[in-house]
Amino acid sequence: MLQNIAIGQYVPGTSFLHRADPRSKMLFIILFAILVFLANNVITYAILIAFTVMTVMLSRLSLAYILKSLRPVWILVLFTVILHVLITKGGEVYFQWGWFSIEEKGVTQAIFISLRVSLLVLVSSLLTLTTSPIDLTEGLERLLGPFGRIGVPVHEIALMMSIALRFIPTLMEETDKIIKAQTARGANFTSGNLIRRAQNLIPIVIPLFISAFRRAEELALAMEARGYRGGVGRTRLRTLTMSWRDGSIALAACVLLLVIGWWRT
Amino acid sequence: MTEERLLALQEVSFAYEGEGGQKETVLNRINLDIHKGAFVSVLGHNGSGKSTLAKLMNALLLPKEGTVLVTGIDTRDGELIWEVRRHVGMVFQNPDNQIVGATVEDDVAFGLENMGTDPAEMRTRIRESLQAVGMEAHLYDQPHRLSGGQKQRVAIAGIMAMRPSVLILDEATAMLDPMGRREVLNLARRLNREEGITVVNITHFPEEAVFSDRVIVMRAGQVEWDGTAAEVFADPDRLQALGLDVPFAVRVRHALAAEGVSLPFILHQEELVEHLCKLLLKR
Ligand SMILES: Nc1ncnc2c1ncn2[C@@H]1O[C@H](COP(=O)(O)OP(=O)(O)O)[C@@H](O)[C@H]1O
Ligand SMILES: [Mg+2]
């Protein structure tokens, strides 16, 4: 019951995108987000759409699969579309019925906003779809590395993230077990109003918390026993190396920046 | 030196400080020497101080009185504490709460990363230690997909990669099913025999202790008894009075003796079966 909450979960593979360095993928997404907000006419959006389709092809994942895994996001997009069509006024009036009207500005706004969100979500989901969580934290640690000098606990943040990733499945299994145990004792999690249901979660959350604290304590001890002493003097098994792939991502980024800058109005 | 003293505890006392500052003595003037290459079992009732003893051996705790020496290094020496922890590896009871890495490979690497090992050297050592525990096929597996016994073997591999002198198993088999228990125990025995690793096996199961060179029985923070497995298990009544179990073979022999059937001293179940068969043939 807890398996279907994965949005953009990692799919192992050997495609161009899978093999690219997580750092360049992350940096590219930041640039892409800026480009998406710079785009403001049909041509620039068309360029971005074409580019996004190309990146999806580079991931060798099926577009249908990606779209399906992002279902919760599409509901959100649909909601914003409806909201904009109904609320934003201006320009030519397409339809009028009493106070209710659909106008030109509302429709264009709805299209642009939904395009922006979809493109951004699609491209960012490609990052998580093609990068293993470990590489993701590794990349993040390296990217944030310079901030370590001004006192940001970069190593600790990355370690926290990787331990969280390690324990997600363990805690999921445990939650399932607790739910079953409480159900066997007559607890009911599926009926009653919202407040009642929230109250019913207490017998799940409390044992989960207690056990998580115990786990944390034991884990800290085990880490210490294995010589953990913070980030200083520590080496890493995984070393990230840039390749020609990352060069081509940088090139694509430059070209895209120039093209969008040129065509936007 | 004929027998190298790897671990030496001299007049060691320890107390945890309670909430209100009151102290409860958990270990009381312990003297112990553990020699290189030995396989030592530690038995004792819950709360008798076994885990505390183990934590003193790798500087997770420091003695309040007395000294703990690991290969001659005083564990109070703050500079050499990492060397102490590299020498004395520890496997804990709950397999889920001591695996740090998101994959088997990452977990075995953890200790090596802490030591500042070069990545290329790390890969070699990870491969070797996973081979030593028979888990080389699971290099890229996620820990939560492994069985309890496999998880503990990964934990042992993580320690073996650091090239330790001593492996302490603190009830490492307590949460495992019989098969997992056998896997882990057989591995510990093999590492002891073939790699010369000194093993300290803290356990609840007397059956595990029959294979050891030496059995230490703890009671209320003191060493109650220290001898060979044959010596300690020769007196089942005394063990049972301490609330400890006795190996099945020893129990059967003892019960038979009460019925007037005498058997030579035995520790292992196979020996028992053999003796009983001989007895049956003679009748
Ligand atoms: N962190 C702690 N703080 C306070 N008391 C503790 C702590 N850990 C253990 N104790 C106490 O120390 C005694 C010995 O514990 P321990 O060494 O864990 O025994 P064993 O492993 O033989 O069961 C017990 O009475 C226990 O309650
Ligand atoms: Mg204990």
Short mmCIF file of all heavy atoms in Angstrom, two decimals, chain B residues 25-76:
data_model
loop_
_atom_site.label_atom_id
_atom_site.label_comp_id
_atom_site.label_asym_id
_atom_site.label_seq_id
_atom_site.Cartn_x
_atom_site.Cartn_y
_atom_site.Cartn_z
N THR B 25 27.27 0.88 39.51
CA THR B 25 28.43 0.14 39.04
C THR B 25 27.98 -1.04 38.18
O THR B 25 27.17 -1.86 38.61
CB THR B 25 29.26 -0.37 40.23
OG1 THR B 25 29.57 0.75 41.04
CG2 THR B 25 30.54 -1.02 39.75
N VAL B 26 28.47 -1.06 36.96
CA VAL B 26 28.06 -2.10 36.01
C VAL B 26 29.17 -3.14 35.87
O VAL B 26 28.91 -4.32 35.73
CB VAL B 26 27.70 -1.47 34.66
CG1 VAL B 26 27.45 -2.53 33.63
CG2 VAL B 26 26.47 -0.58 34.81
N LEU B 27 30.41 -2.66 35.91
CA LEU B 27 31.54 -3.59 35.89
C LEU B 27 32.41 -3.32 37.11
O LEU B 27 32.66 -2.16 37.46
CB LEU B 27 32.37 -3.43 34.62
CG LEU B 27 31.71 -3.85 33.32
CD1 LEU B 27 32.66 -3.62 32.16
CD2 LEU B 27 31.28 -5.30 33.36
N ASN B 28 32.87 -4.36 37.74
CA ASN B 28 33.58 -4.20 39.00
C ASN B 28 34.92 -4.93 38.98
O ASN B 28 34.98 -6.15 39.04
CB ASN B 28 32.68 -4.74 40.13
CG ASN B 28 33.13 -4.24 41.48
OD1 ASN B 28 34.13 -3.52 41.58
ND2 ASN B 28 32.42 -4.65 42.51
N ARG B 29 35.99 -4.16 38.85
CA ARG B 29 37.36 -4.69 38.91
C ARG B 29 37.56 -5.95 38.09
O ARG B 29 37.86 -7.02 38.61
CB ARG B 29 37.74 -4.94 40.37
CG ARG B 29 37.67 -3.66 41.21
CD ARG B 29 37.82 -3.99 42.67
NE ARG B 29 39.19 -4.39 42.95
CZ ARG B 29 40.10 -3.55 43.46
NH1 ARG B 29 39.78 -2.30 43.70
NH2 ARG B 29 41.31 -3.96 43.70
N ILE B 30 37.45 -5.75 36.80
CA ILE B 30 37.61 -6.88 35.88
C ILE B 30 39.06 -7.00 35.45
O ILE B 30 39.70 -6.01 35.11
CB ILE B 30 36.74 -6.68 34.63
CG1 ILE B 30 35.27 -6.57 35.06
CG2 ILE B 30 37.00 -7.75 33.59
CD1 ILE B 30 34.36 -7.55 34.47
N ASN B 31 39.57 -8.22 35.47
CA ASN B 31 40.89 -8.52 34.93
C ASN B 31 40.74 -9.58 33.85
O ASN B 31 40.20 -10.64 34.11
CB ASN B 31 41.82 -9.04 36.03
CG ASN B 31 42.30 -7.90 36.92
OD1 ASN B 31 42.99 -7.01 36.46
ND2 ASN B 31 41.88 -7.94 38.17
N LEU B 32 41.19 -9.26 32.67
CA LEU B 32 41.04 -10.22 31.57
C LEU B 32 42.20 -10.04 30.60
O LEU B 32 42.64 -8.91 30.37
CB LEU B 32 39.77 -9.91 30.78
CG LEU B 32 38.45 -10.61 31.08
CD1 LEU B 32 37.44 -10.13 30.05
CD2 LEU B 32 38.61 -12.11 31.03
N ASP B 33 42.68 -11.14 30.04
CA ASP B 33 43.65 -11.07 28.95
C ASP B 33 43.08 -11.88 27.81
O ASP B 33 42.62 -13.00 28.02
CB ASP B 33 44.98 -11.73 29.36
CG ASP B 33 45.82 -10.77 30.18
OD1 ASP B 33 45.55 -9.56 30.12
OD2 ASP B 33 46.73 -11.26 30.88
N ILE B 34 43.08 -11.32 26.63
CA ILE B 34 42.65 -12.12 25.49
C ILE B 34 43.81 -12.21 24.51
O ILE B 34 44.39 -11.18 24.12
CB ILE B 34 41.38 -11.54 24.86
CG1 ILE B 34 40.21 -11.79 25.84
CG2 ILE B 34 41.07 -12.19 23.52
CD1 ILE B 34 38.92 -11.17 25.47
N HIS B 35 44.16 -13.44 24.15
CA HIS B 35 45.34 -13.65 23.33
C HIS B 35 45.00 -13.68 21.86
O HIS B 35 43.88 -13.99 21.47
CB HIS B 35 46.03 -14.95 23.74
CG HIS B 35 46.52 -14.93 25.15
ND1 HIS B 35 47.61 -14.19 25.52
CD2 HIS B 35 46.04 -15.51 26.27
CE1 HIS B 35 47.80 -14.33 26.81
NE2 HIS B 35 46.86 -15.12 27.31
N LYS B 36 46.02 -13.41 21.07
CA LYS B 36 45.86 -13.38 19.63
C LYS B 36 45.42 -14.74 19.11
O LYS B 36 45.95 -15.76 19.54
CB LYS B 36 47.20 -13.01 19.01
CG LYS B 36 47.12 -12.54 17.59
CD LYS B 36 48.46 -11.96 17.18
CE LYS B 36 48.61 -11.80 15.69
NZ LYS B 36 47.47 -11.38 14.96
N GLY B 37 44.43 -14.75 18.24
CA GLY B 37 44.00 -15.98 17.60
C GLY B 37 43.00 -16.78 18.40
O GLY B 37 42.56 -17.84 17.95
N ALA B 38 42.62 -16.30 19.57
CA ALA B 38 41.67 -17.06 20.39
C ALA B 38 40.24 -16.89 19.90
O ALA B 38 39.92 -15.94 19.21
CB ALA B 38 41.77 -16.60 21.84
N PHE B 39 39.40 -17.86 20.25
CA PHE B 39 37.96 -17.75 20.01
C PHE B 39 37.31 -17.82 21.39
O PHE B 39 37.27 -18.87 22.01
CB PHE B 39 37.47 -18.89 19.12
CG PHE B 39 36.07 -18.67 18.59
CD1 PHE B 39 35.84 -18.51 17.23
CD2 PHE B 39 34.98 -18.65 19.45
CE1 PHE B 39 34.56 -18.32 16.74
CE2 PHE B 39 33.70 -18.44 18.96
CZ PHE B 39 33.49 -18.28 17.61
N VAL B 40 36.88 -16.66 21.86
CA VAL B 40 36.38 -16.57 23.23
C VAL B 40 34.88 -16.35 23.20
O VAL B 40 34.38 -15.55 22.41
CB VAL B 40 37.05 -15.37 23.95
CG1 VAL B 40 36.56 -15.26 25.38
CG2 VAL B 40 38.55 -15.50 23.90
N SER B 41 34.14 -17.08 24.03
CA SER B 41 32.71 -16.81 24.17
C SER B 41 32.45 -16.17 25.51
O SER B 41 33.07 -16.52 26.50
CB SER B 41 31.91 -18.10 24.06
OG SER B 41 31.92 -18.55 22.73
N VAL B 42 31.52 -15.22 25.51
CA VAL B 42 31.14 -14.58 26.77
C VAL B 42 29.67 -14.89 27.01
O VAL B 42 28.82 -14.58 26.18
CB VAL B 42 31.36 -13.05 26.72
CG1 VAL B 42 30.95 -12.41 28.03
CG2 VAL B 42 32.82 -12.75 26.41
N LEU B 43 29.40 -15.56 28.12
CA LEU B 43 28.02 -15.87 28.49
C LEU B 43 27.64 -15.02 29.70
O LEU B 43 28.50 -14.55 30.43
CB LEU B 43 27.88 -17.34 28.88
CG LEU B 43 28.19 -18.40 27.82
CD1 LEU B 43 28.10 -19.79 28.45
CD2 LEU B 43 27.22 -18.30 26.66
N GLY B 44 26.36 -14.86 29.90
CA GLY B 44 25.94 -14.10 31.08
C GLY B 44 24.50 -13.68 30.95
O GLY B 44 23.97 -13.54 29.85
N HIS B 45 23.90 -13.48 32.09
CA HIS B 45 22.51 -13.09 32.16
C HIS B 45 22.33 -11.71 31.56
O HIS B 45 23.28 -10.93 31.49
CB HIS B 45 22.09 -13.09 33.64
CG HIS B 45 20.67 -13.38 33.83
ND1 HIS B 45 19.74 -12.41 33.99
CD2 HIS B 45 20.01 -14.56 33.87
CE1 HIS B 45 18.55 -12.96 34.12
NE2 HIS B 45 18.68 -14.27 34.06
N ASN B 46 21.10 -11.34 31.16
CA ASN B 46 20.82 -9.99 30.72
C ASN B 46 21.20 -8.99 31.79
O ASN B 46 20.86 -9.17 32.95
CB ASN B 46 19.31 -9.83 30.47
CG ASN B 46 18.99 -10.01 29.01
OD1 ASN B 46 19.87 -9.86 28.17
ND2 ASN B 46 17.76 -10.33 28.71
N GLY B 47 21.92 -7.95 31.40
CA GLY B 47 22.27 -6.92 32.37
C GLY B 47 23.51 -7.25 33.19
O GLY B 47 23.85 -6.52 34.11
N SER B 48 24.20 -8.34 32.83
CA SER B 48 25.39 -8.70 33.60
C SER B 48 26.61 -7.88 33.18
O SER B 48 27.67 -8.01 33.77
CB SER B 48 25.68 -10.19 33.47
OG SER B 48 25.85 -10.52 32.12
N GLY B 49 26.43 -7.05 32.13
CA GLY B 49 27.53 -6.15 31.75
C GLY B 49 28.33 -6.60 30.53
O GLY B 49 29.41 -6.07 30.29
N LYS B 50 27.79 -7.53 29.76
CA LYS B 50 28.53 -8.03 28.60
C LYS B 50 28.73 -6.95 27.54
O LYS B 50 29.82 -6.77 27.02
CB LYS B 50 27.79 -9.23 27.97
CG LYS B 50 27.46 -10.34 28.93
CD LYS B 50 26.81 -11.51 28.24
CE LYS B 50 25.46 -11.21 27.62
NZ LYS B 50 24.38 -10.90 28.58
N SER B 51 27.64 -6.24 27.21
CA SER B 51 27.77 -5.20 26.18
C SER B 51 28.67 -4.07 26.64
O SER B 51 29.44 -3.52 25.85
CB SER B 51 26.39 -4.63 25.83
OG SER B 51 25.59 -5.64 25.28
N THR B 52 28.58 -3.75 27.91
CA THR B 52 29.46 -2.72 28.45
C THR B 52 30.91 -3.14 28.31
O THR B 52 31.76 -2.35 27.90
CB THR B 52 29.11 -2.47 29.94
OG1 THR B 52 27.70 -2.26 30.04
CG2 THR B 52 29.84 -1.27 30.48
N LEU B 53 31.18 -4.39 28.61
CA LEU B 53 32.52 -4.94 28.48
C LEU B 53 33.01 -4.79 27.03
O LEU B 53 34.13 -4.34 26.77
CB LEU B 53 32.52 -6.42 28.89
CG LEU B 53 33.85 -7.13 28.94
CD1 LEU B 53 34.69 -6.60 30.09
CD2 LEU B 53 33.66 -8.64 29.09
N ALA B 54 32.13 -5.16 26.09
CA ALA B 54 32.49 -5.08 24.68
C ALA B 54 32.81 -3.64 24.29
O ALA B 54 33.78 -3.38 23.58
CB ALA B 54 31.36 -5.63 23.82
N LYS B 55 31.97 -2.70 24.75
CA LYS B 55 32.17 -1.29 24.36
C LYS B 55 33.45 -0.73 24.97
O LYS B 55 34.04 0.20 24.41
CB LYS B 55 30.97 -0.46 24.79
CG LYS B 55 29.77 -0.69 23.88
CD LYS B 55 28.55 0.02 24.40
CE LYS B 55 27.31 -0.52 23.70
NZ LYS B 55 26.11 -0.23 24.49
N LEU B 56 33.87 -1.28 26.11
CA LEU B 56 35.13 -0.83 26.68
C LEU B 56 36.31 -1.29 25.83
O LEU B 56 37.36 -0.66 25.80
CB LEU B 56 35.29 -1.38 28.11
CG LEU B 56 34.50 -0.64 29.19
CD1 LEU B 56 34.37 -1.51 30.42
CD2 LEU B 56 35.15 0.69 29.53
N MET B 57 36.10 -2.42 25.13
CA MET B 57 37.21 -2.98 24.36
C MET B 57 37.50 -2.20 23.09
O MET B 57 38.56 -2.38 22.50
CB MET B 57 36.91 -4.44 23.99
CG MET B 57 36.96 -5.37 25.18
SD MET B 57 36.49 -7.02 24.68
CE MET B 57 36.69 -7.91 26.22
N ASN B 58 36.55 -1.39 22.60
CA ASN B 58 36.93 -0.58 21.43
C ASN B 58 36.69 0.91 21.68
O ASN B 58 36.39 1.66 20.75
CB ASN B 58 36.29 -1.07 20.14
CG ASN B 58 34.83 -0.74 20.06
OD1 ASN B 58 34.21 -0.41 21.06
ND2 ASN B 58 34.28 -0.83 18.86
N ALA B 59 36.83 1.30 22.90
CA ALA B 59 36.84 2.72 23.26
C ALA B 59 35.53 3.43 22.98
O ALA B 59 35.50 4.65 22.88
CB ALA B 59 38.00 3.45 22.58
N LEU B 60 34.44 2.67 22.81
CA LEU B 60 33.13 3.33 22.75
C LEU B 60 32.80 3.85 24.15
O LEU B 60 32.08 4.83 24.31
CB LEU B 60 32.04 2.37 22.27
CG LEU B 60 32.02 2.07 20.78
CD1 LEU B 60 30.98 1.04 20.46
CD2 LEU B 60 31.79 3.33 19.96
N LEU B 61 33.33 3.14 25.15
CA LEU B 61 33.25 3.60 26.53
C LEU B 61 34.67 3.58 27.09
O LEU B 61 35.50 2.77 26.66
CB LEU B 61 32.36 2.67 27.36
CG LEU B 61 30.88 2.58 26.99
CD1 LEU B 61 30.21 1.51 27.84
CD2 LEU B 61 30.19 3.91 27.18
N LEU B 62 34.95 4.46 28.02
CA LEU B 62 36.26 4.47 28.66
C LEU B 62 36.10 4.07 30.12
O LEU B 62 35.12 4.45 30.75
CB LEU B 62 36.88 5.87 28.56
CG LEU B 62 37.11 6.35 27.14
CD1 LEU B 62 37.65 7.77 27.12
CD2 LEU B 62 38.06 5.42 26.39
N PRO B 63 37.04 3.29 30.63
CA PRO B 63 36.89 2.81 32.00
C PRO B 63 36.95 3.95 33.02
O PRO B 63 37.66 4.92 32.81
CB PRO B 63 38.09 1.87 32.17
CG PRO B 63 39.07 2.29 31.13
CD PRO B 63 38.27 2.82 29.99
N LYS B 64 36.15 3.79 34.08
CA LYS B 64 36.20 4.80 35.15
C LYS B 64 37.44 4.57 36.01
O LYS B 64 38.04 5.49 36.51
CB LYS B 64 34.94 4.71 36.01
CG LYS B 64 33.67 5.07 35.25
CD LYS B 64 33.48 6.59 35.13
CE LYS B 64 32.24 6.98 34.38
NZ LYS B 64 32.16 6.95 32.98
N GLU B 65 37.78 3.29 36.16
CA GLU B 65 39.00 2.94 36.88
C GLU B 65 39.68 1.81 36.12
O GLU B 65 39.01 1.05 35.42
CB GLU B 65 38.67 2.43 38.29
CG GLU B 65 38.46 3.54 39.30
CD GLU B 65 37.79 3.00 40.54
OE1 GLU B 65 38.26 1.97 41.05
OE2 GLU B 65 36.78 3.58 40.96
N GLY B 66 40.98 1.69 36.30
CA GLY B 66 41.71 0.62 35.63
C GLY B 66 42.04 1.01 34.20
O GLY B 66 41.74 2.11 33.75
N THR B 67 42.70 0.08 33.47
CA THR B 67 43.07 0.38 32.09
C THR B 67 42.66 -0.74 31.16
O THR B 67 42.63 -1.91 31.52
CB THR B 67 44.60 0.54 31.94
OG1 THR B 67 45.24 -0.44 32.74
CG2 THR B 67 45.07 1.91 32.31
N VAL B 68 42.34 -0.34 29.95
CA VAL B 68 42.07 -1.28 28.87
C VAL B 68 43.16 -1.07 27.83
O VAL B 68 43.34 0.04 27.35
CB VAL B 68 40.69 -1.03 28.23
CG1 VAL B 68 40.46 -2.01 27.09
CG2 VAL B 68 39.58 -1.15 29.27
N LEU B 69 43.89 -2.14 27.52
CA LEU B 69 44.94 -2.04 26.52
C LEU B 69 44.56 -2.86 25.29
O LEU B 69 44.17 -4.01 25.39
CB LEU B 69 46.27 -2.56 27.08
CG LEU B 69 46.85 -1.83 28.29
CD1 LEU B 69 48.11 -2.54 28.77
CD2 LEU B 69 47.16 -0.38 27.95
N VAL B 70 44.64 -2.22 24.13
CA VAL B 70 44.38 -2.90 22.86
C VAL B 70 45.68 -2.89 22.09
O VAL B 70 46.17 -1.81 21.76
CB VAL B 70 43.27 -2.19 22.07
CG1 VAL B 70 43.08 -2.84 20.72
CG2 VAL B 70 41.97 -2.18 22.85
N THR B 71 46.24 -4.05 21.82
CA THR B 71 47.59 -4.18 21.25
C THR B 71 48.55 -3.20 21.92
O THR B 71 49.34 -2.52 21.27
CB THR B 71 47.63 -3.93 19.73
OG1 THR B 71 47.20 -2.60 19.47
CG2 THR B 71 46.76 -4.90 18.97
N GLY B 72 48.41 -3.10 23.22
CA GLY B 72 49.32 -2.25 23.97
C GLY B 72 48.92 -0.79 24.05
O GLY B 72 49.51 -0.02 24.79
N ILE B 73 47.89 -0.38 23.26
CA ILE B 73 47.47 1.02 23.29
C ILE B 73 46.41 1.19 24.39
O ILE B 73 45.44 0.44 24.45
CB ILE B 73 46.83 1.44 21.94
CG1 ILE B 73 47.78 1.16 20.79
CG2 ILE B 73 46.41 2.90 21.98
CD1 ILE B 73 47.14 1.29 19.42
N ASP B 74 46.60 2.20 25.23
CA ASP B 74 45.60 2.52 26.24
C ASP B 74 44.41 3.18 25.54
O ASP B 74 44.58 4.14 24.79
CB ASP B 74 46.22 3.49 27.26
CG ASP B 74 45.33 3.67 28.48
OD1 ASP B 74 44.09 3.58 28.33
OD2 ASP B 74 45.87 3.92 29.57
N THR B 75 43.19 2.67 25.79
CA THR B 75 42.02 3.24 25.08
C THR B 75 41.74 4.67 25.51
O THR B 75 40.97 5.36 24.87
CB THR B 75 40.75 2.40 25.30
OG1 THR B 75 40.50 2.31 26.71
CG2 THR B 75 40.88 1.02 24.72
N ARG B 76 42.38 5.10 26.60
CA ARG B 76 42.17 6.49 27.03
C ARG B 76 42.98 7.47 26.20
O ARG B 76 42.75 8.66 26.25
CB ARG B 76 42.59 6.64 28.50
CG ARG B 76 41.53 6.20 29.46
CD ARG B 76 41.50 7.13 30.67
NE ARG B 76 40.79 6.52 31.75
CZ ARG B 76 41.33 5.58 32.51
NH1 ARG B 76 42.57 5.21 32.31
NH2 ARG B 76 40.63 5.03 33.47
#
